[in-house]
Amino acid sequence: MKTFRSNGKLLLTAEYAVLDGALALALPSRYGQSLSISEAKKDLHWTSFDENNNIWFQDKFEWMNGQLISKAHENPISKRLLQIFGAVQQLNPGFLKDGDCYNIETYQDFNRLWGLGTSSTLINNVAQWAKIDAYELLDLTFGGSGYDIACAQHNQPITYQLTDDKKPTVEVVEFNPSFQTNLYFLYLEQKQDSRSGIKAYRALGKVDNTSLTEISEITHSIINTSQHDEFNSLIDAHENIIARLISDEPIKTRLFNDFNGSIKSLGAWGGDFILVSTKTDPTNYFSAKGYKTVIPYRDMVL
């Protein structure tokens, strides 16, 4: 049996703007997903387990005229897996040949609605198995900036930036804020579709070189600051820039305007996790508003 594991992801800075070359700070999460493969006598049997070790998806893929097919072909997950298989065969023609049979199992240790990288961890695991470039596989399947693939492959905070030819530059950085006991991650109790958010950002077309430079400078400053108050000011400034670029209200203004501290969206706005920076434990505040999942920084970030 072969087993591969990849880390989940959080995008601390440069959401949306990372697509246009802004420097982003990304954090690999302690949560992740593994992929286990063993040989089978017939077909490809796929089983996905959730964080409670319950099966949430299962399908059988059969070979027909050199192609993998599924009788559940209308199932969106089955369709996506067939797309991934096709992309893998395109990138490595010697892999997944007609008649190859496997039992494939995935195990994730986080709620797949959290937005921590169910797709990116899968892509990186499959790429490891097939010995292909994970960024190329992502490009042929889900698309996106690729920062999530970089997180899947690293065990420390990183900066991520796309060059003019859209190639990723990844650097491991020292980001271990002395005030991390004042940082929390709050789940907004809804899943956000990153692709829809990116489409809306593209349609507005408000990004310019000045905005990209400002965001990159904030990323550098966030990495280097040792002061909690300065960190709060930086993430507040970042929120205002992105709000202008996507014509939306910052999450604190919209939902938590009486909160004593700073709040920053992570990734596509409107769902998944947000960063909360405050001098006191915010659990009771958010619980009273119906938000039950508050995770301390140290419990989330590698």
Side-chain angles (χ1 to χ4, degrees):
M1 177 180 290
K2 295 181 180 179
T3 300
F4 306 93
R5 190 182 189 281
S6 296
N7 302 319
K9 48 78 179 180
L10 291 160
L11 188 61
L12 191 59
T13 68
E15 63 271 21
Y16 301 107
V18 65
L19 293 161
D20 292 305
L23 182 71
L25 174 60
L27 308 175
S29 73
R30 294 184 182 275
Y31 296 98
Q33 181 171 212
S34 64
L35 176 78
S36 295
I37 304 101
S38 59
E39 292 187 1
K41 293 182 179 179
K42 187 179 180 182
D43 304 320
L44 266 70
H45 301 266
W46 189 288
T47 308
S48 293
F49 296 86
D50 66 15
E51 71 277 15
N52 298 313
N53 211 36
N54 296 318
I55 295 173
W56 68 270
F57 172 77
Q58 197 167 31
D59 197 3
K60 179 178 72 173
F61 300 91
E62 301 174 0
W63 288 102
M64 179 176 289
N65 299 323
Q67 298 293 321
L68 284 165
I69 63 168
S70 166
K71 293 180 179 178
H73 61 276
E74 292 302 318
N75 182 299
I77 300 174
S78 296
K79 289 173 67 175
R80 178 65 81 176
L81 287 173
L82 286 171
Q83 181 197 24
I84 293 171
F85 293 149
V88 167
Q89 291 171 315
Q90 179 180 335
L91 294 171
N92 183 357
F95 191 77
L96 276 185
K97 301 182 298 297
D98 189 359
D100 286 350
C101 302
Y102 298 102
N103 293 312
I104 305 169
E105 297 179 344
T106 68
Y107 299 85
Q108 58 197 55
D109 52 23
F110 60 93
N111 187 322
R112 65 183 182 278
L113 299 179
W114 280 2
L116 290 181
T118 305
S119 301
S120 57
T121 52
L122 173 63
I123 289 296
N124 194 63
N125 284 335
V126 170
Q128 292 181 80
W129 175 34
K131 295 182 172 60
I132 57 178
D133 188 295
Y135 294 103
E136 292 183 359
L137 182 58
L138 180 74
D139 190 53
L140 290 175
T141 52
F142 293 93
S145 71
Y147 88 88
D148 45 5
I149 296 297
C151 285
Q153 298 176 352
H154 287 81
N155 295 322
Q156 292 176 249
I158 57 171
T159 55
Y160 184 90
Q161 190 167 34
L162 294 176
T163 59
D164 291 340
D165 59 356
K166 299 302 179 182
K167 298 297 183 183
T169 299
V170 183
E171 293 186 8
V172 172
V173 294
E174 288 293 330
F175 181 69
N176 188 29
S178 58
F179 47 83
Q180 61 187 252
T181 55
N182 301 117
L183 303 179
Y184 302 83
F185 295 96
L186 170 72
Y187 180 55
L188 289 179
E189 308 297 333
Q190 58 184 3
K191 183 76 179 74
Q192 186 65 15
D193 185 346
S194 297
R195 287 181 290 279
S196 296
I198 290 169
K199 184 178 180 180
Y201 161 77
R202 288 292 193 212
L204 288 169
K206 291 187 175 184
V207 69
D208 55 23
N209 288 334
T210 298
S211 299
L212 296 176
T213 299
E214 290 175 342
I215 291 169
S216 296
E217 290 175 348
I218 288 175
T219 296
H220 280 298
S221 297
I222 283 177
I223 292 170
N224 292 318
T225 187
S226 60
Q227 302 300 315
H228 188 200
D229 290 341
E230 181 184 10
F231 178 85
N232 287 350
S233 296
L234 289 166
I235 63 175
D236 291 344
H238 193 291
E239 283 286 276
N240 290 331
I241 294 171
I242 300 299
R244 183 177 74 246
L245 295 182
I246 65 173
S247 295
D248 201 355
E249 281 187 309
I251 193 70
K252 181 179 178 180
T253 303
R254 184 159 59 87
L255 294 179
F256 310 114
N257 59 4
D258 62 339
F259 181 71
N260 184 20
S262 293
I263 294 176
K264 186 188 179 302
S265 292
L266 306 172
W269 282 26
D272 300 333
F273 278 93
I274 58 177
L275 176 71
V276 176
S277 179
T278 179
K279 295 186 183 301
T280 57
D281 188 334
T283 302
N284 290 338
Y285 170 89
F286 289 114
S287 180
K289 291 182 176 291
Y291 299 94
K292 305 299 184 183
T293 305
V294 180
I295 301 177
Y297 182 95
R298 287 178 175 173
D299 293 342
M300 174 72 85
V301 177
L302 277 173

